[in-house]
Amino acid sequence: VQLVESGGGLVQPGGSLRLSCAASGGISSLHAMGWYRQDPGEQRELVASITSDGATIYADSVKGRFTISRDNAKNTIYLQMNSLKPRDSAVYFCNARITEWDGVTYGYWGQGTQVTVSS
């Protein structure tokens, strides 16, 4: 199983970015997925998560600015980030809970994508 992220980059304050995370491999069931972010020397923190039926959770710091969505047919989640602030700069990681064909459920992380908000 692999999680492949894309969409990070450099953006000016107030700008927007859209992150994508696609899961592939021996997937029997794809459960909750989410985005986390981490600054150097800091703990990884939850940004947003989404269940298989679309229920969402957001960190207070991104409510009203970020939107997480999911395309179950493509095993892909997205994070639309608007009104970006310098404090949103971090490495963003995708996370997924996946049941493989052996019936065991595992947690997986993507490799991370850098988001930098700076003028």
Side-chain angles (χ1 to χ4, degrees):
V1 174
Q2 279 190 311
L3 299 180
V4 178
E5 301 136 332
S6 61
L10 173 65
V11 64
Q12 292 187 339
S16 298
L17 282 174
R18 188 190 194 210
L19 306 182
S20 300
C21 172
S24 63
I27 299 170
S28 175
S29 296
L30 187 57
H31 307 293
M33 299 182 72
W35 290 97
Y36 290 70
R37 64 188 181 189
Q38 187 172 23
D39 281 326
E42 301 290 332
Q43 286 193 336
R44 196 169 293 187
E45 64 174 3
L46 175 69
V47 176
S49 67
I50 186 166
T51 65
S52 57
D53 58 2
T56 58
I57 294 174
Y58 293 93
D60 288 343
S61 60
V62 307
K63 283 180 181 176
R65 300 188 297 123
F66 291 11
T67 302
I68 189 170
S69 61
R70 178 170 180 147
D71 185 336
N72 288 329
K74 296 181 179 179
N75 288 341
T76 299
I77 61 168
Y78 306 93
L79 185 68
Q80 178 66 43
M81 303 185 292
N82 298 328
S83 302
L84 282 161
K85 305 175 181 180
R87 65 181 181 180
D88 294 317
S89 298
V91 178
Y92 283 69
F93 295 91
C94 176
N95 174 268
R97 290 191 57 77
I98 296 171
T99 299
E100 297 189 15
W101 293 113
D102 61 2
V104 180
T105 299
Y106 301 91
Y108 287 92
W109 290 97
Q111 79 283 359
T113 185
Q114 178 71 48
V115 171
T116 302
V117 185
S118 176
S119 54

